[in-house]
Short mmCIF file of all heavy atoms in Angstrom, two decimals:
data_model
loop_
_atom_site.label_atom_id
_atom_site.label_comp_id
_atom_site.label_asym_id
_atom_site.label_seq_id
_atom_site.Cartn_x
_atom_site.Cartn_y
_atom_site.Cartn_z
N TRP N 11 102.98 121.65 110.10
CA TRP N 11 103.14 120.17 110.08
C TRP N 11 101.92 119.50 110.70
O TRP N 11 102.04 118.47 111.28
CB TRP N 11 104.43 119.83 110.93
CG TRP N 11 105.66 120.00 110.18
CD1 TRP N 11 106.26 119.07 109.32
CD2 TRP N 11 106.57 121.13 110.15
NE1 TRP N 11 107.51 119.59 108.80
CE2 TRP N 11 107.66 120.83 109.31
CE3 TRP N 11 106.57 122.37 110.80
CZ2 TRP N 11 108.71 121.71 109.11
CZ3 TRP N 11 107.57 123.27 110.58
CH2 TRP N 11 108.67 122.92 109.66
N SER N 24 81.49 126.28 109.02
CA SER N 24 80.57 125.33 108.38
C SER N 24 79.21 125.90 108.04
O SER N 24 78.63 125.52 106.98
CB SER N 24 80.40 124.15 109.29
OG SER N 24 81.47 123.25 109.13
N ALA N 39 94.72 111.60 110.89
CA ALA N 39 94.23 112.90 111.28
C ALA N 39 93.49 112.82 112.58
O ALA N 39 92.83 111.80 112.88
CB ALA N 39 93.33 113.53 110.20
N HIS N 41 91.04 115.73 114.31
CA HIS N 41 90.60 117.16 114.26
C HIS N 41 89.66 117.42 115.44
O HIS N 41 88.61 116.72 115.60
CB HIS N 41 89.86 117.42 112.92
CG HIS N 41 90.76 117.31 111.71
ND1 HIS N 41 90.34 117.52 110.43
CD2 HIS N 41 92.06 117.06 111.67
CE1 HIS N 41 91.38 117.45 109.63
NE2 HIS N 41 92.43 117.10 110.32
N ILE N 55 85.76 111.63 109.67
CA ILE N 55 84.55 112.39 109.42
C ILE N 55 84.79 113.84 109.30
O ILE N 55 85.45 114.39 110.14
CB ILE N 55 83.48 112.09 110.51
CG1 ILE N 55 83.18 110.56 110.51
CG2 ILE N 55 82.23 112.91 110.38
CD1 ILE N 55 82.28 110.10 111.61
N VAL N 73 91.67 107.77 102.64
CA VAL N 73 91.78 106.32 102.89
C VAL N 73 90.99 105.99 104.19
O VAL N 73 91.19 106.69 105.20
CB VAL N 73 93.19 105.76 102.96
CG1 VAL N 73 93.83 105.81 101.57
CG2 VAL N 73 94.09 106.64 103.92
N PRO N 76 87.56 101.19 108.22
CA PRO N 76 86.18 101.00 108.75
C PRO N 76 86.08 100.92 110.21
O PRO N 76 85.07 101.46 110.81
CB PRO N 76 85.78 99.71 108.07
CG PRO N 76 86.64 99.58 106.83
CD PRO N 76 87.95 100.16 107.25
N ILE N 101 79.76 108.94 101.56
CA ILE N 101 81.09 108.44 101.44
C ILE N 101 81.38 108.09 99.99
O ILE N 101 80.53 107.49 99.29
CB ILE N 101 81.23 107.15 102.31
CG1 ILE N 101 80.84 107.46 103.78
CG2 ILE N 101 82.67 106.65 102.26
CD1 ILE N 101 80.71 106.30 104.67
N ASP N 116 102.50 98.69 108.17
CA ASP N 116 102.98 100.00 108.63
C ASP N 116 103.86 99.85 109.85
O ASP N 116 105.01 100.35 110.00
CB ASP N 116 101.78 100.88 109.03
CG ASP N 116 101.97 102.39 108.86
OD1 ASP N 116 102.99 102.78 108.41
OD2 ASP N 116 100.96 103.13 109.11
N GLY N 144 99.85 101.34 93.47
CA GLY N 144 100.29 100.08 92.89
C GLY N 144 99.16 99.28 92.20
O GLY N 144 99.37 98.18 91.69
N ASP N 152 83.74 98.54 96.55
CA ASP N 152 83.88 97.11 96.47
C ASP N 152 83.12 96.34 97.58
O ASP N 152 82.81 95.20 97.41
CB ASP N 152 85.34 96.69 96.56
CG ASP N 152 86.14 97.21 95.37
OD1 ASP N 152 85.56 97.31 94.24
OD2 ASP N 152 87.35 97.48 95.53
N PRO N 156 79.34 91.04 95.66
CA PRO N 156 79.32 89.65 96.25
C PRO N 156 80.70 89.07 96.30
O PRO N 156 80.93 88.08 97.03
CB PRO N 156 78.36 88.92 95.30
CG PRO N 156 78.17 89.74 94.11
CD PRO N 156 78.54 91.16 94.46
N GLN N 174 105.72 87.94 106.03
CA GLN N 174 106.49 86.77 106.33
C GLN N 174 107.90 86.95 105.67
O GLN N 174 108.88 86.79 106.36
CB GLN N 174 105.78 85.56 105.73
CG GLN N 174 106.38 84.24 106.24
CD GLN N 174 106.24 84.11 107.75
OE1 GLN N 174 105.17 84.25 108.30
NE2 GLN N 174 107.39 83.84 108.43
N GLU N 187 90.04 91.61 112.20
CA GLU N 187 89.36 91.19 110.99
C GLU N 187 87.83 91.10 111.24
O GLU N 187 87.06 91.59 110.43
CB GLU N 187 89.88 89.85 110.53
CG GLU N 187 89.42 89.44 109.07
CD GLU N 187 90.19 88.35 108.55
OE1 GLU N 187 90.09 87.13 108.99
OE2 GLU N 187 91.06 88.63 107.64
N LYS N 198 77.93 100.18 104.84
CA LYS N 198 76.93 99.91 103.79
C LYS N 198 75.61 100.64 103.94
O LYS N 198 74.84 100.81 103.02
CB LYS N 198 76.62 98.41 103.74
CG LYS N 198 77.65 97.58 103.03
CD LYS N 198 77.22 96.15 102.97
CE LYS N 198 78.35 95.22 102.60
NZ LYS N 198 78.16 93.84 102.92
N PHE N 233 106.01 117.85 98.44
CA PHE N 233 106.71 119.08 98.78
C PHE N 233 107.09 119.21 100.27
O PHE N 233 107.75 120.11 100.68
CB PHE N 233 105.85 120.30 98.40
CG PHE N 233 105.53 120.34 96.94
CD1 PHE N 233 104.31 120.06 96.45
CD2 PHE N 233 106.53 120.60 96.03
CE1 PHE N 233 104.06 120.10 95.10
CE2 PHE N 233 106.28 120.66 94.65
CZ PHE N 233 105.05 120.35 94.19
N GLY N 234 106.73 118.17 101.04
CA GLY N 234 107.09 118.20 102.45
C GLY N 234 108.56 117.74 102.62
O GLY N 234 109.26 117.54 101.65
N VAL N 239 107.15 112.54 105.77
CA VAL N 239 105.93 113.13 105.32
C VAL N 239 104.77 112.09 105.40
O VAL N 239 105.05 110.92 105.77
CB VAL N 239 106.05 113.53 103.81
CG1 VAL N 239 107.04 114.67 103.68
CG2 VAL N 239 106.45 112.34 102.93
N VAL N 263 91.51 130.06 99.23
CA VAL N 263 92.29 129.05 99.91
C VAL N 263 92.65 129.54 101.29
O VAL N 263 93.39 130.57 101.40
CB VAL N 263 93.52 128.69 99.09
CG1 VAL N 263 94.40 127.67 99.85
CG2 VAL N 263 93.14 128.11 97.76
N GLY N 265 94.53 129.32 104.51
CA GLY N 265 95.63 128.61 105.10
C GLY N 265 95.68 128.92 106.63
O GLY N 265 95.60 130.03 107.09
N THR N 346 113.22 134.07 110.33
CA THR N 346 113.09 134.77 109.07
C THR N 346 113.96 134.15 107.96
O THR N 346 113.67 134.27 106.77
CB THR N 346 113.49 136.27 109.20
OG1 THR N 346 114.84 136.30 109.67
CG2 THR N 346 112.60 137.02 110.11
N PRO N 369 118.04 128.29 112.44
CA PRO N 369 117.16 129.50 112.32
C PRO N 369 117.86 130.74 112.67
O PRO N 369 118.64 130.87 113.59
CB PRO N 369 116.00 129.18 113.32
CG PRO N 369 116.59 128.23 114.30
CD PRO N 369 117.63 127.41 113.58
N GLU N 375 108.31 141.75 120.64
CA GLU N 375 107.74 141.97 121.98
C GLU N 375 106.51 141.12 122.23
O GLU N 375 105.59 141.04 121.39
CB GLU N 375 107.27 143.43 122.13
CG GLU N 375 108.43 144.45 122.17
CD GLU N 375 109.14 144.38 123.49
OE1 GLU N 375 108.46 144.47 124.55
OE2 GLU N 375 110.38 144.41 123.48
N THR N 421 86.80 132.87 118.65
CA THR N 421 87.29 133.14 117.29
C THR N 421 86.89 134.57 116.91
O THR N 421 85.76 134.95 117.08
CB THR N 421 86.62 132.14 116.30
OG1 THR N 421 86.57 130.83 116.87
CG2 THR N 421 87.30 132.08 115.05
N LEU N 424 88.98 139.32 111.77
CA LEU N 424 89.81 140.57 111.78
C LEU N 424 89.55 141.47 110.58
O LEU N 424 89.71 142.65 110.71
CB LEU N 424 91.34 140.21 111.84
CG LEU N 424 91.80 139.30 112.96
CD1 LEU N 424 93.33 139.23 112.92
CD2 LEU N 424 91.31 139.87 114.33
#
Side-chain angles (χ1 to χ4, degrees):
W11 280 274
S24 281
H41 295 182
I55 296 173
V73 288
I101 306 170
D116 212 358
D152 294 330
Q174 193 62 52
E187 189 165 74
K198 279 184 193 160
F233 300 108
V239 293
V263 177
T346 56
E375 289 286 311
T421 317
L424 303 187

